[in-house]
C-alpha cells in the first residue's frame, strides 16, 4: 500500500495525454492506469484563455499494488581478533545486491522495473559497507565506509556514478554507566554525483541522495538506575 506523490500523478497524467513517456515509450491512453490518473487531475475549462486547462486540483490516496516482485542477494561477515596489549580489532562487511524489483498497479499493466526506471523512482542496485573497530581500554574507534551503487540518469541514457560515504566514531567509556562519543558523518564532505541530464538544481535525484555534508556531533550517554 502506498500513495502516489503529486509530482508522479502529474507526470503520469502528462504521459497519458501525450501518448508517450518523456523517453518516448508509447503509453496506452485508454488503459485502466491512464483512466485512473486522468481522474486524479482536475483542470479548468478549455476556453482558449491564458488559464485554459490549468490544473485546479490533484487528488491522491493510498492504493493497493497488485503485484510486486523483489529478489536479491544479501551477505554479511565479521571477524574479531586480539593484538594483546594493543587491544582488539573487529572487522566486518555487509553487501546487498537487488536482482529484481518491479511492480504494477493493475493486472493488465506492464511491470515497472524500479532498477531501471527513468522517472527518478529507481533505486540503488547495490549497497555495500565495511567497517573496522579498534577497542583498547576505555576507548573504542570505528571507521565505516558505505558504497551506494549506480542509478539511472534522469533521461535513462546512462548510469550515474556510485557514491561513497565515510563515517568515524570515537567513544570513551567514563564508567560502566556513562560514555562520551564523538561522531563524524560523511567525513570527506562527499557530495552526490551530478546527473548531467537533469537541468534543475540540485542536479541529482533527491529521492536517492541527500544534501547533508560533513556532520560532527558530540554525544554523552548516561545510564541511570541499576548498573549495566
Amino acid at each position: 500500500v502506498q500513495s502516489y506523490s503529486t509530482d508522479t500523478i502529474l507526470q503520469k497524467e502528462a504521459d497519458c495525454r501525450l501518448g508517450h513517456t518523456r523517453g518516448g515509450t508509447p503509453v496506452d491512453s485508454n488503459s485502466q492506469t491512464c483512466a485512473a490518473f486522468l481522474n486524479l487531475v482536475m483542470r479548468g475549462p478549455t476556453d482558449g484563455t491564458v488559464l485554459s486547462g490549468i490544473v485546479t486540483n490533484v487528488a491522491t490516496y493510498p492504493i493497493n499494488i497488485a503485484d510486486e516482485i523483489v529478489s536479491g542477494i544479501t551477505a554479511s561477515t565479521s571477524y574479531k581478533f586480539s593484538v594483546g596489549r594493543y587491544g582488539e580489532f573487529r572487522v566486518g562487511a555487509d553487501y546487498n545486491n537487488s536482482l529484481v524489483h518491479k511492480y504494477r498497479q493493475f493486472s493488465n499493466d506492464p511491470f515497472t522495473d524500479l532498477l531501471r526506471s527513468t522517472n527518478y523512482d529507481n533505486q540503488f542496485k547495490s549497497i555495500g559497507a565495511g567497517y573496522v573497530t579498534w577497542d583498547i581500554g576505555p576507548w573504542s574507534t570505528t571507521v565505516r565506509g558505505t558504497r551506494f551503487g549506480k542509478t539511472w540518469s534522469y533521461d535513462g541514457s546512462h548510469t550515474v556514478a556510485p557514491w561513497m560515504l565515510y563515517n568515524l566514531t570515537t567513544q570513551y567509556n567514563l564508567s560502566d554507566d556513562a560514555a562520551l562519543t564523538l561522531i563524524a558523518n560523511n567525513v570527506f564532505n562527499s557530495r552526490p554525483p551530478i546527473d548531467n541530464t537533469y537541468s534543475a538544481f540540485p542536479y541529482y535525484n533527491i529521492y536517492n541522495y541527500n544534501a547533508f555534508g560533513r556532520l560532527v556531533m558530540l554525544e554523552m550517554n548516561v545510564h541511570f538506575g541499576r548498573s549495566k
Side-chain angles (χ1 to χ4, degrees):
V1 177
Q2 68 175 24
S3 296
Y4 279 118
S5 67
T6 300
D7 183 60
T8 297
I9 292 172
L10 290 174
Q11 287 186 37
K12 297 292 186 181
E13 187 231 12
D15 294 344
C16 292
R17 290 185 179 276
L18 295 173
H20 59 81
T21 66
R22 183 174 55 248
T25 303
V27 173
D28 182 4
S29 300
N30 298 315
S31 66
Q32 288 180 280
T33 299
C34 279
F37 283 113
L38 291 172
N39 286 331
L40 292 177
V41 180
M42 277 62 76
R43 293 178 175 272
T46 305
D47 52 12
T49 64
V50 176
L51 300 179
S52 176
I54 191 172
V55 174
T56 58
N57 190 42
V58 178
T60 184
Y61 53 87
I63 60 173
N64 291 313
I65 296 176
D67 296 286
E68 184 169 12
I69 301 173
V70 181
S71 67
I73 298 172
T74 301
S76 179
T77 184
S78 61
Y79 182 69
K80 179 180 179 179
F81 60 94
S82 173
V83 288
R85 65 190 182 94
Y86 295 105
E88 292 182 339
F89 281 89
R90 286 173 285 150
V91 295
D94 303 294
Y95 178 72
N96 179 77
N97 191 327
S98 297
L99 302 178
V100 177
H101 190 183
K102 57 185 181 179
Y103 81 90
R104 60 184 177 184
Q105 180 181 353
F106 300 109
S107 59
N108 63 339
D109 286 343
F111 277 101
T112 297
D113 187 349
L114 293 179
L115 297 180
R116 294 184 62 91
S117 172
T118 60
N119 281 326
Y120 262 10
D121 53 5
N122 64 73
Q123 62 186 54
F124 296 107
K125 187 179 187 304
S126 64
I127 300 177
Y131 69 88
V132 177
T133 298
W134 178 29
D135 296 318
I136 180 170
W139 291 93
S140 179
T141 300
T142 298
V143 178
R144 181 181 180 88
T146 303
R147 179 186 184 275
F148 297 90
K150 298 178 180 180
T151 57
W152 284 95
S153 62
Y154 185 67
D155 69 352
S157 63
H158 63 281
T159 56
V160 179
W163 190 32
M164 290 292 302
L165 293 178
Y166 295 92
N167 297 338
L168 173 65
T169 302
T170 298
Q171 178 171 302
Y172 180 73
N173 297 307
L174 301 170
S175 67
D176 288 342
D177 297 302
L180 195 63
T181 307
L182 179 66
I183 303 169
N185 291 339
N186 194 1
V187 175
F188 297 110
N189 198 33
S190 176
R191 312 303 295 175
I194 297 299
D195 179 359
N196 293 323
T197 68
Y198 193 70
S199 59
F201 181 83
Y203 314 110
Y204 59 78
N205 183 353
I206 61 173
Y207 301 104
N208 280 343
Y209 308 97
N210 62 68
F212 299 144
R214 183 185 300 110
L215 175 64
V216 180
M217 300 172 287
L218 184 62
E219 178 179 279
M220 185 171 184
N221 287 300
V222 180
H223 180 261
F224 297 97
R226 179 180 293 181
S227 178
K228 294 181 183 177

